[in-house]
Amino acid sequence: MLAKKKSSESRNRRVTRVEPPVLEEAVVAAQGLTDDIESQIEIAAQLMGLPEDEVRPVVLKSVPQPRRSERLPERMIMSERSEGPRVVVVERKRPRLVMQR
């Protein structure tokens, strides 16, 4: 006898693994949002659904990661040539609007 074929549904089922975040991950997320310690405690506690008293020691023990500046320098100096500094001008053109009647 021939074996029964498995339905394609059983092969296409995806199993999603859900792991709740750990407290250390919530603290790192809170540190990324604010530099204020009390706000970090509050945010981490809300993310984990824990009382602030349980979260406070973990936040106080963790060392905040140094934040790098995401601002670009106001003026970028390009290398100078013999004829002087090079100037770059960037303009934004607005798209043409077509009016329909």
Side-chain angles (χ1 to χ4, degrees), residues 56-68:
R56 186 178 311 278
V58 178
V59 172
L60 294 176
K61 275 196 291 186
S62 68
V63 178
Q65 300 295 323
R67 297 177 95 176
R68 59 186 170 134

Side-chain angles (χ1 to χ4, degrees), residues 10 31 39 50 81 98:
S10 63
Q31 288 174 343
S39 296
L50 296 172
R81 295 181 178 182
V98 178

